[in-house]
Amino acid sequence: MQANAANSVPERNMVLIGFMGAGKTTVGKIVADRLTREFIDVDELIASERGMPVTEIFKTMGEAAFRRMEKEYIKDLCENKRCAVLSLGGGAFLQEEIREICLSSADVVFLDIPWESWKTRLPLIRDSRPILQNKSDDEVKALYDARQAIYAQHHFKVNAGHRTPEEAAQDLIDWLTTQQRI
Ligand code: S3P
């Protein structure tokens, strides 16, 4: 069978998944910087192209519209980028089509953060995440728990709770090296 150049292993994008505030953007930027790769935060891309922050998109257009945009942007990036580091919003992987294209075309890395570590970040991020607004701490915990099965679909996991962003980034790079991706 002939190799498909578009999907050849060294050209794969890296996709970072995980709960809101796990550090996907911070770690992704460090990895991209160290590997001299392009970094794209999908939420930031949507916000800049739509001319409004994600919170505003949720407010004015609704979550369903945001999810449609999120899917189109991620599909497009997966199909057209090579070797980029992509940070996905924490809810993106709930969509089956997004999971399928990422898992088949990219290296999917889960930034895993234990609840006990994550809950200390909640006050810092609540206002900027529409999904967290108007939810009790118990409801946020239920959302966190429900998402774990979705994030379990990955190629590599980094413990983002017990590692600094620099250490987590190095863990990813070490894994890419063992996988002969770099
Ligand atoms: C969301 C996570 C956010 C953003 C939107 C919805 C979610 O991204 O996409 O507010 O459903 O978990 P971060 O994971 O970067 O916070």
Side-chain angles (χ1 to χ4, degrees):
M1 198 169 75
Q2 218 178 2
N4 177 352
N7 282 324
S8 72
V9 165
E11 295 196 334
R12 274 177 179 257
N13 296 308
M14 176 189 282
V15 165
L16 299 181
I17 62 166
F19 207 49
M20 291 158 270
K24 298 176 295 264
T25 302
T26 309
V27 172
K29 276 184 183 162
I30 298 170
V31 171
D33 202 40
R34 288 187 186 169
L35 298 179
T36 340
R37 291 188 177 188
E38 183 180 9
F39 173 76
I40 299 167
D41 179 297
V42 175
D43 282 350
E44 279 175 18
L45 179 65
I46 295 173
S48 85
E49 291 203 352
R50 298 292 161 143
M52 62 178 122
V54 167
T55 39
E56 203 55 35
I57 297 176
F58 266 72
K59 211 187 291 174
T60 57
M61 303 168 83
E63 179 173 353
F66 172 75
R67 296 301 178 197
R68 279 195 296 276
M69 279 178 215
E70 189 174 43
K71 185 168 71 186
E72 290 318 309
Y73 274 86
I74 293 169
K75 278 173 62 181
D76 182 61
L77 291 168
C78 283
E79 280 161 11
N80 295 305
K81 289 287 174 186
R82 300 283 171 262
C83 301
V85 179
L86 311 176
S87 171
L88 269 50
F93 235 50
L94 294 170
Q95 301 194 61
E96 192 180 352
E97 252 184 273
I98 293 181
R99 284 199 304 278
E100 276 173 6
I101 193 159
C102 291
L103 287 164
S104 63
S105 70
D107 289 319
V108 176
V109 176
F110 170 35
L111 260 66
D112 187 17
I113 177 161
W115 172 255
E116 290 306 315
S117 307
W118 186 83
K119 72 177 182 192
T120 63
R121 301 184 186 186
L122 178 55
L124 305 174
I125 65 170
R126 198 191 283 272
D127 288 348
S128 59
R129 305 305 199 281
I131 293 289
L132 299 177
Q133 286 156 20
N134 307 315
K135 278 198 176 60
S136 68
D137 287 4
D138 283 350
E139 286 169 333
V140 174
K141 171 77 164 75
L143 182 71
Y144 172 95
D145 289 340
R147 295 256 178 107
Q148 297 310 303
I150 294 295
Y151 301 142
Q153 299 172 68
H154 56 257
H155 298 118
F156 184 65
K157 177 168 86 171
V158 169
N159 188 331
H162 298 114
R163 309 283 282 154
T164 65
E166 287 75 16
E167 289 168 342
Q170 195 55 49
D171 289 347
L172 292 196
I173 293 170
D174 291 346
W175 175 72
L176 285 177
T177 309
T178 63
Q179 300 298 304
Q180 299 181 325
R181 298 287 201 269
I182 48 177

